């Protein structure tokens, strides 16, 4: 025995690979069964106390057999998913993932590469996928494109570039001097339907919430252009620098798409940065029947989009596009002594972390690359069109169903509606609809969420799901009506008691 050399040869690799191979095969077998059978499972189920307790255990000091580790997951993890891969999940705004993408994540982890940059194949693929997304949206060649964790980060990247450009125009190097040096503070504009990540963005950019003016929307929940023009004039007079309009292509509440060509014109005329939050709608550009809805997006200075939404990539992957690649790079690039590029070898390539905030980056491209190669862009476009057709069908069913009503326009794949027995005030109506939503979730029948649009509370179904079939939506409508009928009367009383 030579204890010293044993210790120096310790590794995370198994002593014998064969049992690991066998276990891996069975994990894949069970994963395929899991997905094939997903429709027959409840969409969601509450975790029993014993399961929750397992997640309060401390870190394991000693080893366990990998088979036992996996066995624990089959009991405590796999039966309790969020549910967004289920055909009857329509809450918030998710994608429903795909098996090819899961294989991609597995292989990306096997390869284990860091996509901070470097001269290796994964880095080329990372750039290729980001550039495919650019081509789908129609931004010009030479734009900057980088994969990020999601839409929030993609928006933060775009708005950071906007901040730098507008500060520079005001004579300030914001990277060096910070926003405090900008004499006439920057102002950003968005509609009152803009996603909350833009609040986070102006906060982390040091601009503060007040730098983001939320403007009213019209009956279609689109940014009011007159209000925008007036706000710009008012801010200039008050000593501010109007810097950027954040247009939303597909709002999270209702899917409203701001008037992109008109906002592009206004930004060009007024010298403002034109950013499009396309986390939901940018990929409409590949949907043959609905691409016209986002015409004008190709004029943006920056775009945020989310392949983990309408491309159904497993979480996470977002993408930031910036019309001018050099400006994009200049916003983030650094060249520390320990990360120098070289003429030859593994560092002989542009560093990918120069286009965003992370240094180490995961290999997010592979899951997207594999699914796009397997199915082709055209099929993803058809699936987007299909979601919109299903949403129209759902909206029509709701309108044709007693005591159900639409509460907002549904221009794409998001349907806002509620159960209304008549004669109820807003507060008990809200309580009743929340109870319907919770019962649907708890029964495992369907998962939807709720929101408030222009002061009216409603249920909300976002049909971003390649597994949904028409009969799933028929079930939703009939269950909401049935639950509403059985609850109406009971819930307002419960509210009065509290
Ligand atoms: C989802 C979404 C975001 C945030 O994207 P994440 O991927 O969740 O970070 C931003 N804007 C809109 C319009 C969205 O729908």
């Amino acid at each position: 025995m030579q204890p010293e050399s044993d210790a120096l040869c310790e590794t995370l690799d198994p002593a014998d690979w064969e049992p690991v191979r066998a276990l891996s095969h069975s994990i894949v077998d069970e994963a395929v069964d899991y997905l094939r059978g997903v429709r027959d499972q409840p969409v969601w189920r509450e975790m029993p106390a014993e399961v929750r307790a397992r997640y309060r255990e401390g870190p394991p000091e000693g080893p366990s057999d990998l088979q036992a580790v996996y066995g624990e997951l089959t009991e405590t993890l796999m039966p309790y998913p969020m549910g967004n891969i289920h055909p009857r999940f329509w809450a918030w705004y998710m994608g429903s993932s795909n098996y090819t993408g899961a294989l991609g994540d597995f292989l990306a982890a096997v390869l284990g590469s860091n996509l901070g940059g470097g001269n290796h194949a994964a880095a080329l693929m990372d750039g290729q996928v980001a550039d495919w997304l650019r081509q789908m949206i129609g931004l010009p060649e030479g734009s900057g494109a980088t994969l990020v964790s999601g839409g929030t980060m993609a928006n933060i990247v775009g708005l950071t570039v906007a901040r730098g450009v507008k500060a520079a125009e005001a004579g300030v190097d914001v990277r060096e001097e910070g926003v405090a040096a900008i004499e006439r503070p920057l102002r950003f504009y968005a509609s009152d339907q803009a996603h909350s990540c833009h609040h986070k963005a102006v906060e982390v950019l040091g601009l503060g919430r007040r730098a983001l003016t939320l403007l009213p929307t019209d009956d279609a929940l689109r940014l009011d252009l007159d209000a925008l023009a007036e706000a710009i004039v008012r801010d200039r007079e008050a000593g501010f620098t109007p810097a950027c309009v954040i247009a939303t292509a597909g709002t999270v509440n209702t899917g409203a798409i701001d008037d992109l060509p008109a906002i592009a014109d206004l930004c060009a005329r007024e010298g403002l940065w034109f950013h499009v939050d396309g986390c939901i709608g940018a990929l409409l550009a590949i949907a043959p029947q609905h691409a016209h809805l986002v015409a004008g997006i190709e004029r943006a200075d920056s775009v945020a989009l989310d392949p983990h939404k309408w491309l159904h990539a497993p979480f996470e992957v977002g993408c930031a596009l910036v019309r001018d690649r050099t400006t994009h790079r200049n916003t983030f690039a650094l060249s520390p002594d320990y990360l120098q590029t070289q003429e030859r070898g593994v560092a002989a390539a542009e560093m990918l972390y120069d286009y965003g905030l992370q240094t180490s980056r995961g290999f997010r491209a592979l899951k997207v690359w594999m699914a796009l190669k397997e199915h082709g862009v055209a099929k993803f476009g058809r699936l987007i069109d299909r979601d919109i057709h299903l949403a129209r069908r759902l909206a029509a069913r709701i309108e044709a169903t007693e005591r159900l009503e639409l509460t907002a326009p549904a221009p794409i794949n998001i349907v806002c509606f509620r159960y209304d027995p008549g004669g109820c005030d807003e507060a008990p109506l809200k309580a009743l609809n929340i109870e319907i939503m919770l019962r649907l979730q708890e029964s495992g029948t369907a998962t939807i969420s709720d929101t408030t649009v222009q002061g009216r509370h409603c249920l909300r179904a976002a049909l971003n799901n390649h597994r949904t079939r028409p009969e799933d939506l028929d079930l939703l409508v009939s269950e909401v009506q049935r639950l509403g009928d059985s609850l109406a009367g009971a819930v307002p009383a419960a509210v009065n008691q509290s």
Side-chain angles (χ1 to χ4, degrees), residues 383-417:
L383 288 174
I384 291 171
D385 279 336
R386 200 271 307 263
D387 277 337
I388 298 174
H389 285 297
L390 285 178
R392 300 233 164 97
R393 189 176 177 283
L394 172 63
R397 288 285 155 118
I398 287 167
E399 283 195 297
T401 302
E402 297 275 351
R403 296 176 295 289
L404 294 192
E405 62 174 9
L406 294 176
T407 56
I412 49 173
N413 60 334
I414 301 173
V415 181
C416 290
F417 65 104

Side-chain angles (χ1 to χ4, degrees), residues 335-342:
S335 190
D337 293 339
Y338 43 84
L339 291 171
Q340 296 292 310
T341 56
Q342 302 294 341

Side-chain angles (χ1 to χ4, degrees), residues 150-152 155 195 197 248 250 252 277 279-280 306 308-309:
T152 299
N155 278 306
H195 192 273
C197 73
T248 304
V252 72
D277 179 350
C279 288
I280 288 176
D306 242 354
H308 62 209
K309 287 179 177 169

Side-chain angles (χ1 to χ4, degrees), residues 40-46 86 88 435-447 475-476 479-480 482-483:
D40 304 322
Q41 294 297 315
V43 185
W44 179 85
R45 54 162 81 94
E46 184 58 270
H86 193 285
R88 288 190 300 277
E435 188 60 27
I436 292 170
M437 173 181 81
L438 298 180
R439 298 234 178 161
L440 275 172
Q441 292 175 6
E442 287 169 337
S443 66
T445 311
T447 297
L475 181 67
L476 173 68
E479 279 296 285
V480 169
R482 187 186 66 76
L483 284 166

Side-chain angles (χ1 to χ4, degrees), residues 134-151:
R134 172 195 68 77
Q135 292 176 49
M136 290 181 205
I137 306 309
L139 256 69
E141 221 178 312
S143 299
T146 186
L147 300 182
V148 292
S149 56

Side-chain angles (χ1 to χ4, degrees), residues 47-315:
M47 288 166 280
E50 315 86 80
V51 168
R52 289 180 179 278
R54 301 297 289 273
Y55 291 104
R56 289 193 294 270
E57 290 171 1
E61 189 60 32
S64 302
D65 181 60
L66 183 57
Q67 176 84 53
V69 174
Y70 173 64
E72 182 173 344
L73 296 184
T74 61
E75 287 164 22
T76 57
L77 182 77
M78 299 308 280
Y80 307 105
M82 171 181 259
N84 54 296
I85 65 168
H86 193 285
R88 288 190 300 277
F89 183 99
W90 307 296
W92 307 301
Y93 203 97
M94 302 285 153
S96 43
S97 199
N98 70 92
Y99 183 67
T100 302
L103 289 177
D105 263 354
F106 172 71
L107 290 174
V110 168
L111 198 61
S113 297
N114 187 329
L115 271 289
N119 182 18
H120 52 108
L124 294 182
M125 184 184 282
D126 188 89
Q128 182 180 31
V129 167
D131 198 62
W132 283 353
L133 293 165
R134 172 195 68 77
Q135 292 176 49
M136 290 181 205
I137 306 309
L139 256 69
E141 221 178 312
S143 299
T146 186
L147 300 182
V148 292
S149 56
T152 299
M153 194 49 77
N155 278 306
I156 289 175
V157 165
L159 299 184
T160 307
V161 181
R163 180 190 65 165
V165 167
K166 293 300 155 183
E169 286 174 13
V172 172
D173 175 353
V174 80
R175 295 187 71 185
E176 190 62 33
E177 303 171 73
V179 290
I182 305 168
E183 206 177 311
R184 298 165 66 88
L186 304 181
R187 282 291 180 260
F188 287 49
Y189 307 89
S191 88
D192 58 15
Q193 298 295 305
H195 192 273
S196 60
C197 73
H198 299 290
H199 298 249
K200 207 180 267 185
V202 289
E203 287 171 24
V204 299
L205 289 176
L207 300 166
R209 284 273 192 114
R210 278 181 216 160
L212 178 61
T213 304
L214 295 184
L215 296 156
T217 42
D218 61 17
D219 290 342
L221 286 310
R222 288 153 47 113
L223 174 62
D224 179 336
L225 292 165
D226 293 333
L228 172 61
E230 284 162 25
I232 290 170
V233 171
R234 203 168 49 236
D235 281 345
R236 283 218 174 93
E237 284 170 3
F240 295 105
T241 305
C244 171
V245 180
I246 302 164
T248 304
T251 60
V252 72
N253 265 342
T254 68
I257 298 167
D258 289 338
D259 187 342
L260 303 180
I263 295 172
D265 288 344
L266 182 143
C267 286
R269 207 163 55 232
E270 298 283 344
L272 269 67
W273 186 271
F274 175 34
H275 175 81
V276 177
D277 179 350
C279 288
I280 288 176
L283 285 161
L284 284 164
I286 62 168
Q289 295 168 14
H290 296 96
H292 64 276
L293 295 176
V294 290
I297 196 169
E298 73 289 346
R299 294 172 63 190
D301 292 306
S302 53
V303 178
L305 69 123
D306 242 354
H308 62 209
K309 287 179 177 169
W310 244 337
L311 293 185
H312 302 292
F315 291 106

